[in-house]
Amino acid sequence: MQIDIITIFPEMFAPVLGASLIKRAVQAGLLRIRVHDLRDYTSDPHRKVDDRPYGGGPGMVLMPQPIFAAVEDVRRDCSAHAGRCEVVLMTPQGESLSTPLAQQLAITPHLVLLCGHYEGIDERVKVLVTRSVSIGDYVLTGGELPAMVLVDCVARYVPGVIGHAQATEEESFAEGWLEYPQYTRPASFRELEVPEVLLSGDHGRIAQWRKWQAMSRTLAQRPDLMRQRQP
Ligand code: 6GU
């Protein structure tokens, strides 16, 4: 899978994308990630990428010219991906990122992520955009952190990125329940005890206990997930 990120802060990405699971996925050739500086695409002699909004008002708006140039450039080799390309605008006005959306994006051969900024982005870039995505109901200063969240979340569903496929299937949200509590050694730590059932070796009882824990946690902490569950 090819991911191209278009941003005015390219330096933000290396520490996150160069670590942990994403780093390994890139090294294994499962992901190819390129980060592009929007300023490299401006035709302005001063490398300007933003301007004041028509109609007045506070802040600056990202201009269409560098964004069109950048998207057209990274899409040039899109035919190499059988033309299957999603241009995703990261914006608080987008559809919320969720497990089903991440799973859908994970089977797209080419993702182009546009990081919005300032007061906004010229509305005409929408003719390039195939989806707008938000990571939650709060406003961040830019689309960079959301783009990193999206890459991390999508990467987990790219086959081979996570060692055992079971891990993504059993986790929170996949089945609509929060995860059950986990413990490791020692069995007693500062008089805090691991539940006896987990030490019992009785796999039937353990499975039953975990299911019960997952259900009661979901009911207590995320009753909204209970209502969304398919019967
Ligand atoms: Cl995608 N962008 C910004 N600027 N703020 C956000 C967001 C995106 N998602 C949640 N808040």
Side-chain angles (χ1 to χ4, degrees):
M1 164 177 229
Q2 169 78 45
I3 302 176
D4 285 286
I5 301 168
I6 298 166
T7 171
I8 54 168
F9 293 116
E11 69 280 5
M12 284 179 71
F13 289 85
V16 173
L17 302 181
S20 184
L21 222 83
I22 305 293
K23 180 186 182 179
R24 265 192 286 148
V26 169
Q27 286 171 343
L30 299 167
L31 290 180
R32 201 165 94 96
I33 304 176
R34 297 187 299 192
V35 181
H36 308 271
D37 189 340
L38 187 62
R39 286 184 202 283
D40 292 343
Y41 292 95
T42 169
S43 54
D44 181 84
H46 303 103
R47 309 233 305 158
K48 200 171 139 77
V49 289
D50 59 344
D51 209 333
R52 287 169 300 155
Y54 276 122
M60 300 289 267
V61 176
L62 288 174
M63 300 187 293
Q65 179 275 320
I67 295 173
F68 272 70
V71 171
E72 283 163 3
D73 185 50
V74 302
R75 286 206 59 176
R76 220 182 291 287
D77 54 347
C78 224
S79 47
H81 310 285
R84 287 254 296 126
C85 177
E86 291 260 19
V87 179
V88 180
L89 174 64
M90 303 309 302
T91 167
Q93 278 116 48
E95 159 188 15
S96 276
L97 183 59
S98 61
T99 300
L101 176 56
Q103 287 168 332
Q104 220 179 316
L105 293 176
I107 55 169
T108 307
H110 190 189
L111 288 185
V112 179
L113 306 182
L114 276 177
C115 304
H117 244 278
Y118 304 115
E119 296 309 308
I121 191 160
D122 190 290
E123 190 66 19
R124 290 167 290 184
V125 308
K126 291 281 171 70
V127 306
L128 303 169
V129 167
T130 58
R131 309 176 171 266
S132 296
V133 175
S134 162
I135 62 161
D137 292 340
Y138 42 83
V139 178
L140 300 169
T141 56
E144 282 75 14
L145 289 168
M148 290 183 237
V149 168
L150 185 145
V151 169
D152 191 283
C153 183
V154 167
R156 299 180 63 257
Y157 298 103
V158 173
V161 169
I162 288 192
H164 34 115
Q166 226 190 355
T168 50
E169 267 166 40
E170 283 192 358
E171 71 192 6
S172 298
F173 300 108
E175 279 194 75
W177 302 113
L178 297 181
E179 276 191 271
Y180 52 77
Q182 299 271 26
Y183 298 86
T184 187
R185 290 193 293 177
S188 179
F189 177 73
R190 298 193 180 181
E191 295 179 44
L192 300 165
E193 311 300 329
V194 172
E196 174 278 326
V197 58
L198 297 178
L199 311 174
S200 70
D202 182 338
H203 297 296
R205 267 182 72 215
I206 291 170
Q208 205 177 26
W209 180 86
R210 285 178 165 168
K211 188 86 212 179
W212 176 255
Q213 289 290 322
M215 290 166 75
S216 50
R217 264 189 177 188
T218 308
L219 190 57
Q221 293 178 46
R222 291 295 304 276
D224 57 305
L225 293 179
M226 304 285 287
R227 273 175 249 117
Q228 284 167 27
R229 284 178 60 81
Q230 307 298 327

